[in-house]
Amino acid sequence: QKEVEQNSGPLSVPEGAIASLNCTYSDRGSQSFFWYRQYSGKSPELIMFIYSNGDKEDGRFTAQLNKASQYVSLLIRDSQPSDSATYLCAVRHTGTASKLTFGTGTRLQVTL
Amino acid sequence: ETGVTQTPRHLVMGMTNKKSLKCEQHLGHNAMYWYKQSAKKPLELMFVYSLEERVENNSVPSRFSPECPNSSHLFLHLHTLQPEDSALYLCASSQESRGRSGANVLTFGAGSRLTVL
């Protein structure tokens, strides 16, 4: 069973702080790693993806991947109330079809 | 608007009804998916149509039947559903390439909220 684990939260951070979201996965053959954001009542939207060890930055978001430890994280700098949402970690396994395995998501609350 | 359109957005049906969910993508993608999202559970992949092949999750009951007439349209036919099938059904599409690793990003539709009475 290929699993993706996330803490369901809620993770509460004050406005302006750094939010750190973590995800672990069980399949060592996983190739690509995705972070999706899902607002309540809406569909998931891609924030960023990463497939090489290390950090990848995009604006206020940084994805970090450590394949040896099988974890991927998402840092959100200068958190805003509009960042309050559920963040889904997804892992792509080998193969031609994009068979993503999703975690249950971490709910983030950014407080004023 | 993501480029993936799902209809209807909300559906209420009895256990003896037959209905269909429709998905259309305007992104020129070559792969389409059905996912099920239930409360407190991870997104569950139900079916994939990719590069002219169909892949399905063997745990999906036969009361769900997909149809993909072309690369832009995807249907999910529903019959004799159970109350536990009530969930958000998400359609997604992506551009797939044979033998290419890396990111093949999913674009989701807004979802169809299904309630089975």
Side-chain angles (χ1 to χ4, degrees):
Chain A
Q1 179 74 13
K2 298 170 183 174
E3 295 184 346
V4 178
E5 301 284 344
Q6 294 181 259
N7 187 321
S8 62
L11 172 65
S12 185
V13 300
E15 184 178 6
I18 296 175
S20 178
L21 304 162
N22 299 311
C23 172
T24 60
Y25 59 95
S26 62
D27 180 17
R28 286 194 172 273
S30 301
Q31 293 184 322
S32 309
F33 308 85
F34 302 79
W35 284 99
Y36 283 83
R37 177 177 62 199
Q38 187 173 24
Y39 292 111
S40 180
K42 302 293 185 181
S43 61
E45 55 180 336
L46 180 74
I47 296 176
M48 60 192 308
F49 63 86
I50 186 169
Y51 49 85
S52 298
N53 273 328
D55 295 0
K56 180 181 179 182
E57 186 174 321
D58 184 1
R60 295 187 296 114
F61 299 95
T62 298
Q64 299 176 318
L65 175 61
N66 184 324
K67 289 187 177 181
S69 301
Q70 294 177 241
Y71 83 78
V72 56
S73 63
L74 179 70
L75 301 178
I76 306 175
R77 290 181 298 281
D78 188 23
S79 295
Q80 302 297 308
S82 58
D83 295 325
S84 298
T86 297
Y87 289 80
L88 305 175
C89 173
V91 173
R92 182 190 182 210
H93 313 289
T94 55
T96 56
S98 231
K99 301 178 196 177
L100 293 188
T101 299
F102 283 84
T104 53
T106 298
R107 189 157 65 92
L108 173 65
Q109 292 179 336
V110 180
T111 59
L112 295 172
Chain B
E1 180 59 50
T2 65
V4 180
T5 303
Q6 291 187 241
T7 55
R9 293 293 309 279
H10 301 273
L11 177 63
V12 179
M13 58 188 290
M15 289 191 286
T16 58
N17 292 158
K18 288 184 179 181
K19 297 286 184 183
S20 296
L21 306 180
K22 179 183 176 182
C23 177
E24 183 174 0
Q25 59 97 0
H26 308 275
L27 302 170
H29 288 167
N30 61 5
M32 297 188 76
Y33 312 77
W34 282 115
Y35 279 86
K36 176 183 178 182
Q37 188 172 37
S38 303
K40 308 291 185 185
K41 292 184 179 180
L43 277 166
E44 176 189 357
L45 178 63
M46 301 176 73
F47 303 101
V48 182
Y49 282 83
S50 174
L51 296 171
E52 301 178 6
E53 62 180 355
R54 170 181 151 178
V55 178
E56 61 184 84
N57 182 339
N58 291 329
S59 67
V60 175
S62 59
R63 53 187 183 266
F64 294 92
S65 174
E67 178 188 0
C68 190
N70 55 60
S71 61
S72 299
H73 295 85
L74 183 65
F75 296 89
L76 187 62
H77 302 301
L78 317 169
H79 63 99
T80 59
L81 294 191
Q82 303 299 309
E84 60 265 29
D85 297 322
S86 298
L88 180 67
Y89 289 84
L90 290 163
C91 173
S93 69
S94 71
Q95 183 62 27
E96 297 295 310
S97 299
R98 285 197 187 278
R100 175 174 170 260
S101 62
N104 297 79
V105 175
L106 293 180
T107 301
F108 286 91
S112 294
R113 174 69 63 183
L114 173 66
T115 303
V116 182
L117 301 176

